[in-house]
Amino acid sequence: MHIGLIGGIGVAATIVYYQRLTAAVAERGATLDLTISHGDIQTLIQNNLADDRQPQAEIFARQIDQLKGAGCDCVALTSLGAHYCVEELNALSSLPVVSGVAPLDAYFAAEGLGTVGLLGTRVVMRTRLYGQLELTRAVALDGEIDALGQTYQDIAVAGICAPGQQAELLDAGKRMVRDLGADAIVLAGTDLNLAFDGQDPGYRVIDALDVHVSVLADLASGRLSLDEVAMMR
């Protein structure tokens, strides 16, 4: 299956999707057929903060039309933050949109996680992953959502994580485990790998990107069908 990715939101996130998806498909003994469309992170940030869903969905829909023209069979957003307008996008999209949020609830439950702590965009943390978790309780540092969201945004735009930003995020995860009872911390923002990769923070970390990539790799290798993926919604 030919996978389409909407990338550039941000660039570092796109790179890690590309790297991990390529590796995951190779592990499955298959060959990856992939096309990436570059988006604009600044426009996404402005629309996300203003909760302007329809305009952003229309931008993504135009990119999806281009990906369809390139032969793609389905498409995925390389940003969990971008999923804030996924309902509007589903109504416009000329291709099936493979959600990065929908598979997470079942994954957390299968891992025996009763409570997960969230790091990501302001909207992701505030809405507890858009209210899509039913089997697992999600928590966040509610009094620090704006500050942590800004830190994440700065990392995503720059494509690098400064030592002070890394320390802030690692400590936030520690406090969600210690004070809020989180069994694991979920990196619900694609660029958070810049802060957490290669680290041993003393608590379990789950990168939501890896769950999404696993679904995409199963599609690319023929282990999953689009009908099966649609049932995850």
Side-chain angles (χ1 to χ4, degrees):
M1 186 172 296
H2 189 162
I3 306 294
L5 294 180
I6 293 181
I9 48 176
V11 172
T14 308
I15 291 171
V16 73
Y17 258 90
Y18 184 33
Q19 291 172 329
R20 296 188 190 181
L21 182 55
T22 300
V25 172
E27 288 174 359
R28 288 159 172 76
T31 300
L32 178 62
D33 197 2
L34 175 72
T35 302
I36 301 173
S37 174
H38 180 73
D40 179 44
I41 191 171
Q42 294 296 345
T43 301
L44 172 60
I45 288 171
Q46 292 171 9
N47 286 334
N48 183 281
L49 291 177
D51 198 30
D52 287 337
R53 303 181 185 188
Q54 192 66 25
Q56 187 62 51
E58 291 171 359
I59 291 170
F60 285 153
R62 289 194 292 271
Q63 290 182 264
I64 292 172
D65 287 343
Q66 294 172 346
L67 290 168
K68 183 178 182 180
C72 293
D73 300 301
C74 62
V75 67
L77 302 171
T78 60
S79 162
L80 284 185
H83 283 67
Y84 84 105
C85 64
V86 75
E87 290 186 11
E88 291 78 7
L89 179 57
N90 283 332
L92 298 173
S93 180
S94 56
L95 291 174
V97 179
V98 181
S99 172
V101 178
L104 293 175
D105 197 25
Y107 176 84
F108 298 151
E111 292 292 303
L113 301 174
T115 302
V116 295
L118 300 178
L119 290 172
T121 66
R122 295 169 177 86
V123 176
V124 163
M125 292 185 286
R126 188 173 293 120
T127 62
R128 305 300 197 260
L129 269 171
Y130 309 109
Q132 290 195 29
L133 298 185
E134 297 179 356
L135 304 175
T136 305
R137 184 174 75 100
V139 296
L141 296 172
D142 289 323
E144 301 173 43
I145 283 178
D146 284 335
L148 291 169
Q150 186 63 51
T151 295
Y152 173 68
Q153 179 180 308
D154 292 343
I155 292 169
V157 171
I160 57 174
C161 180
Q165 294 170 322
Q166 181 182 57
E168 177 187 3
L169 293 169
L170 292 175
D171 179 66
K174 178 180 179 180
R175 287 185 286 119
M176 280 189 276
V177 171
R178 184 190 66 202
D179 302 335
L180 302 181
D183 300 310
I185 299 303
V186 178
L187 307 186
T190 313
D191 306 87
L192 286 170
N193 69 91
L194 295 170
F196 282 83
D197 277 3
Q199 301 299 309
D200 181 8
Y203 49 82
R204 184 175 181 186
V205 176
I206 296 173
D207 195 338
L209 181 157
D210 288 331
V211 180
H212 197 195
V213 163
S214 180
V215 173
L216 293 171
D218 283 345
L219 279 169
S221 60
R223 294 188 180 188
L224 271 180
S225 69
L226 286 171
D227 287 341
E228 289 172 313
V229 170
M231 293 177 65
M232 296 178 182
R233 296 179 181 176

